[in-house]
Amino acid sequence: MKIRKLILLTLLFLIALPAKPEVRLPRLISNGMVLQRDQPLKIRGWADSSEKVKVEFAGETYQTKADKQGNWQVELPAMEAGGPYRMNVNELEINDILIGDVWLASGQSNMELPLRRVTDLYAGEIRQINKPVIRLFRSSTRKEPDTAQDDYPDGSWLPATQENIMEFSAVAWFFANELHKKYQVPIGVISTAIGGSPAEAWLSEKPVVKYLDNWLAIQAQADSARARRIAEEGETPPFDWGLEINKNDPGVGLWSKTDVDISGWANISLPGYWEDKGVALQNGSIWFYKEFEVVDSLAAKEAILRLGRIIDSDSAFVNGSFVGTVSYQYPPRIYPIPKSLLKPGKNTLMVRVFSQGGRGGFVEEKPYEVRIGSQTIDLTGDWNYRTGAVLNPPREQGGGGFKPGGLYNSLIHPALSYSLKGVIWYQGETNAGRGMEYRQLFKDLITDWRIQFNQPELSFLFVQLANLGIPNKQPVESGWASLRDAQRRTLELPHTGMAVAFDLGEWNDIHPLNKKEVGRRLFLEAQRVAYSDGAVVSSGPLYESMKAEDGSIVLTFSSVGAGLFANSLLRGFQVAGEDGRFVWADAVVFSKNTVKVWSREVSHPTAVRYAWDDNPAEANLKNKEGLPASPFTTED
């Protein structure tokens, strides 16, 4: 009994003891972090109200206490590049801290695109990457909260090693690698880009107000249309697209197997869009069958199936075995074929393709082949096909897309106390077609972030939209060109730089592979803007002014470096008279920094456009350093 009483009293005593207060840190303040050199460093976190907080770092101690809301912050003096260091915050220990340069990489999918998606161009180079002093922080969140968040729900600092490198943003990696080679300091990248996001989603609460009305109007219109439809047709049950397509497709569980009888299947030549080839299917599934021969010496070896890019999604089967699937149209189809699956002689490939509206197909000028070592087996040409299911899903009334301010709240606000060297930004595809609005919107975003980060001279570098689509033979209006011109005009803001990319894209892919040159061109601008290197030629020619002269227009350019490149027949220029109708123009390099433009069809030209197309493939003005001129219009 005495022992029991003693145990009970001990337990009661322990329960009565106050819980030990705990200090909490944001996810950015964690093992492996990179802190910005040569700037005061803010270390913040949370604790119980009035709790004392002690921060020990680099041989110094800093003390504070939490306010009534539990927030605390200390400011450390600026430090030179170096490390690794250790930091203690009360009972917490943070290890492997580096001091270097920190960049925020944001925008939409072309900035988000990971290195694994560009291995076709850089496979050998990627296999050699081992630079743990380059580090990436990435949170997986895609939420759009109504209020600004103080922390990320997940994420950690990852070194650029083989274990992690495939998930690094490709643009950010190539940019960071160039910086490290040049300046020999640790580089940290905070990656926040989200595919499909409009610029409005990245604004903070105050400046986003004037862009909120349009989004709310679209939402209200969608809600009103849905209400009318329900009143007319009644409430429809939820439509499970995947369930319905499998329920109505006779090939499920059968046509993916071996020995499928295709005697009644139609013929089609691939790649291409099936609508162009007489197949009328917009929503549903369609099966494609191909036979290919494998010589004895290559059978039973590991292989790679390349199926280019397929709209919208697909699942692939080799000799009746599943080898891969992609759930949306943009990623390249790279499916490993396991060892022993291929056999000597005839082999079969079945691809089930899903279309959820619009033109479905196999995108042209992409690789369609089986790769076995250095050998390739061509898969283009004749295939057999059969429609699986044709669906007519109920009409959906979408809302206004990304919520204005939502991504700022979730992905930018948690980083505001973190000192930065600068921002790299690749965005605009979602805003294409609204170039006039983007002229002010993009400037508002840059100004907003500088205010929020309390860095009024924060370097802000951005990528101009790459080329996309089939080039037009005649001058046309172009939403992408208008957006590019808006991006160019943003250079009016100080401490900004732009990487021209209309020559780096692919006509058939909104996600071009050549991210290395994009990163290099951003690096060139970083040297000028962020590192104050006035000697570097960091961009191609930029339109500056125009002057009408004897039936022609003389254009003056800045950023010409050693001079405009004169040894080529200039293409891509258009002129218009007072009627505003643009025609192709002749153009010559007139001097080191001027170009003369004219057309026999326009006796009194008043305006010039250059590279004014979604894909201005022939535009070729550049400086002697080889950097292309930015698309532009002289119109206001």
Side-chain angles (χ1 to χ4, degrees):
M1 287 296 294
K2 289 182 179 180
I3 294 175
R4 290 180 180 178
K5 287 181 180 180
L6 181 61
I7 294 173
L8 181 60
L9 287 171
T10 302
L11 290 173
L12 290 171
F13 175 76
L14 291 173
I15 292 172
L17 285 175
K20 184 179 180 181
E22 290 188 1
V23 171
R24 292 185 297 114
L25 297 171
R27 289 186 178 273
L28 277 173
I29 309 297
S30 57
N31 290 335
M33 66 178 172
V34 182
L35 295 172
Q36 179 58 46
R37 61 173 170 157
D38 304 329
Q39 290 187 29
L41 303 172
K42 296 176 182 178
I43 305 299
R44 68 176 181 94
W46 306 274
D48 290 340
S49 175
S50 300
E51 181 183 344
K52 293 181 180 180
V53 178
K54 181 172 68 173
V55 177
E56 298 172 285
F57 184 61
E60 301 291 337
T61 299
Y62 310 87
Q63 299 192 55
T64 186
K65 67 178 182 178
D67 62 20
K68 291 181 179 180
Q69 288 73 43
N71 300 303
W72 62 266
Q73 179 174 292
V74 298
E75 184 171 286
L76 281 56
M79 295 179 61
E80 295 181 353
Y85 296 97
R86 183 180 66 210
M87 179 182 293
N88 291 95
V89 182
N90 285 12
E91 71 280 2
L92 300 179
E93 183 174 285
I94 309 165
N95 293 298
D96 193 24
I97 301 168
L98 300 179
I99 309 292
D101 286 339
V102 181
W103 288 82
L104 177 67
S106 196
Q108 56 184 105
S109 54
N110 269 304
M111 181 63 80
E112 183 182 19
L113 194 86
L115 271 172
R116 59 181 165 78
R117 289 270 296 273
V118 298
T119 51
D120 272 4
L121 286 186
Y122 312 113
E125 185 173 344
I126 292 172
R127 283 195 294 269
Q128 301 301 314
I129 293 174
N130 183 30
K131 285 193 175 179
V133 294
I134 298 177
R135 298 177 180 180
L136 176 86
F137 180 93
R138 170 78 175 170
S139 172
S140 65
T141 181
R142 289 173 177 262
K143 295 180 180 178
E144 299 176 85
D146 294 326
T147 58
Q149 303 298 295
D150 286 333
D151 197 11
Y152 296 105
D154 55 17
S156 60
W157 287 96
L158 301 175
T161 59
Q162 286 298 299
E163 181 181 2
N164 307 310
I165 195 61
M166 285 300 189
E167 299 309 312
F168 272 56
S169 156
V171 169
W173 159 255
F174 288 120
F175 172 74
N177 191 41
E178 291 286 354
L179 287 176
H180 180 258
K181 287 190 294 185
K182 173 77 174 180
Y183 298 107
Q184 292 295 303
V185 298
I187 304 293
V189 177
I190 302 172
S191 176
T192 66
I194 297 293
S197 59
E200 297 92 322
W202 297 98
L203 285 167
S204 69
E205 182 178 10
K206 186 175 180 180
V208 83
V209 170
K210 63 182 174 182
Y211 301 103
L212 191 59
D213 287 346
N214 183 55
W215 184 83
L216 290 172
I218 295 173
Q219 291 279 70
Q221 186 179 24
D223 292 342
S224 176
R226 182 175 181 275
R228 286 197 307 271
R229 178 170 58 83
I230 291 173
E232 295 170 0
E233 304 173 7
E235 186 77 65
T236 57
F239 185 84
D240 188 325
W241 195 89
L243 178 65
E244 291 297 320
I245 201 165
N246 284 333
K247 186 169 66 176
N248 290 279
D249 189 333
V252 173
L254 298 175
W255 297 347
S256 60
K257 305 299 182 182
T258 56
D259 301 323
V260 179
D261 181 7
I262 61 160
S263 57
W265 291 33
N267 295 319
I268 191 171
S269 180
L270 295 176
Y273 292 89
W274 58 66
E275 182 181 345
D276 298 341
K277 301 171 186 290
V279 182
L281 174 72
Q282 289 195 336
N283 203 306
S285 60
I286 184 169
W287 298 75
F288 294 92
Y289 176 86
K290 177 77 172 178
E291 294 180 358
F292 59 95
E293 295 287 326
V294 176
V295 299
D296 292 1
S297 60
L298 297 179
K301 291 186 176 182
E302 292 182 352
I304 298 292
L305 172 63
R306 297 301 309 270
L307 290 176
R309 190 163 73 82
I310 298 176
I311 303 173
D312 289 310
S313 59
D314 65 282
S315 295
F317 305 84
V318 172
N319 291 333
S321 295
F322 172 76
V323 294
T325 184
V326 169
S327 61
Y328 63 113
Q329 64 170 292
Y330 293 116
R333 274 57 175 175
I334 307 174
Y335 300 144
I337 301 176
K339 187 176 181 180
S340 78
L341 186 55
L342 294 179
K343 56 187 180 182
K346 186 184 82 171
N347 291 259
T348 64
L349 169 62
M350 186 72 79
V351 185
R352 188 189 186 198
V353 178
F354 306 93
S355 176
Q356 291 186 267
R359 300 174 73 216
F362 292 61
V363 176
E364 295 166 320
E365 296 190 15
K366 294 286 185 180
Y368 295 90
E369 59 196 16
V370 175
R371 296 181 182 176
I372 312 173
S374 60
Q375 304 296 311
T376 60
I377 301 171
D378 181 30
L379 297 177
T380 64
D382 292 338
W383 289 59
N384 298 96
Y385 78 92
R386 180 174 171 181
T387 300
V390 178
L391 296 187
N392 293 293
R395 291 171 295 166
E396 294 183 5
Q397 299 293 336
F402 283 87
K403 181 179 180 179
L407 293 179
Y408 168 86
N409 285 340
S410 62
L411 291 170
I412 302 304
H413 192 268
L416 291 186
S417 64
Y418 217 82
S419 297
L420 303 175
K421 183 68 174 179
V423 174
I424 53 174
W425 173 265
Y426 194 158
Q427 190 275 338
E429 295 90 343
T430 300
N431 288 89
R434 295 187 285 143
M436 293 299 290
E437 179 188 50
Y438 201 80
R439 291 185 185 185
Q440 188 59 46
L441 170 59
F442 192 24
K443 290 179 181 177
D444 285 350
L445 186 148
I446 295 172
T447 301
D448 181 31
W449 284 19
R450 287 172 171 172
I451 292 171
Q452 301 303 325
F453 278 97
N454 195 27
Q455 291 186 238
E457 297 183 354
L458 180 66
S459 297
F460 201 107
L461 315 177
F462 53 93
V463 183
Q464 203 178 47
L465 290 185
N467 46 312
L468 181 70
I470 298 174
N472 287 285
K473 295 182 179 180
Q474 299 300 326
V476 295
E477 296 304 317
S478 166
W480 283 57
S482 178
L483 197 288
R484 292 187 191 109
D485 189 59
Q487 292 173 313
R488 176 188 66 85
R489 293 170 189 260
T490 304
L491 294 172
E492 296 167 3
L493 290 179
H495 312 292
T496 56
M498 180 178 72
V500 174
F502 78 83
D503 59 327
L504 302 178
E506 300 169 26
W507 74 267
N508 56 6
D509 204 329
I510 200 171
H511 299 131
L513 297 181
N514 189 356
K515 295 297 191 280
K516 184 174 183 178
E517 180 62 14
V518 172
R520 188 186 78 88
R521 291 180 186 179
L522 284 171
F523 162 68
L524 292 176
E525 285 285 68
Q527 292 177 83
R528 176 182 65 86
V529 177
Y531 296 89
S532 303
D533 187 346
V536 66
V537 179
S538 62
S539 79
L542 296 169
Y543 165 70
E544 197 167 73
S545 63
M546 61 166 279
K547 180 182 178 181
E549 190 174 280
D550 298 327
S552 65
I553 291 179
V554 176
L555 304 166
T556 300
F557 294 86
S558 60
S559 298
V560 297
L564 297 173
F565 184 78
N567 192 20
S568 61
L569 181 64
L570 292 184
R571 298 184 177 90
F573 286 90
Q574 307 168 17
V575 296
E578 293 182 355
D579 62 358
R581 186 180 70 88
F582 281 91
V583 299
W584 292 120
D586 296 308
V588 294
V589 173
F590 205 47
S591 71
K592 178 180 179 179
N593 67 332
T594 61
V595 170
K596 183 177 181 179
V597 184
W598 74 95
S599 171
R600 292 190 178 92
E601 297 182 46
V602 182
S603 56
H604 299 288
T606 59
V608 178
R609 297 193 305 206
Y610 171 71
W612 203 262
D613 195 355
D614 290 3
N615 184 0
E618 293 193 350
N620 64 344
L621 180 65
K622 58 185 177 182
N623 56 24
K624 289 185 178 179
E625 286 76 13
L627 294 169
S630 169
F632 68 89
T633 178
T634 62
E635 299 172 296
D636 291 332

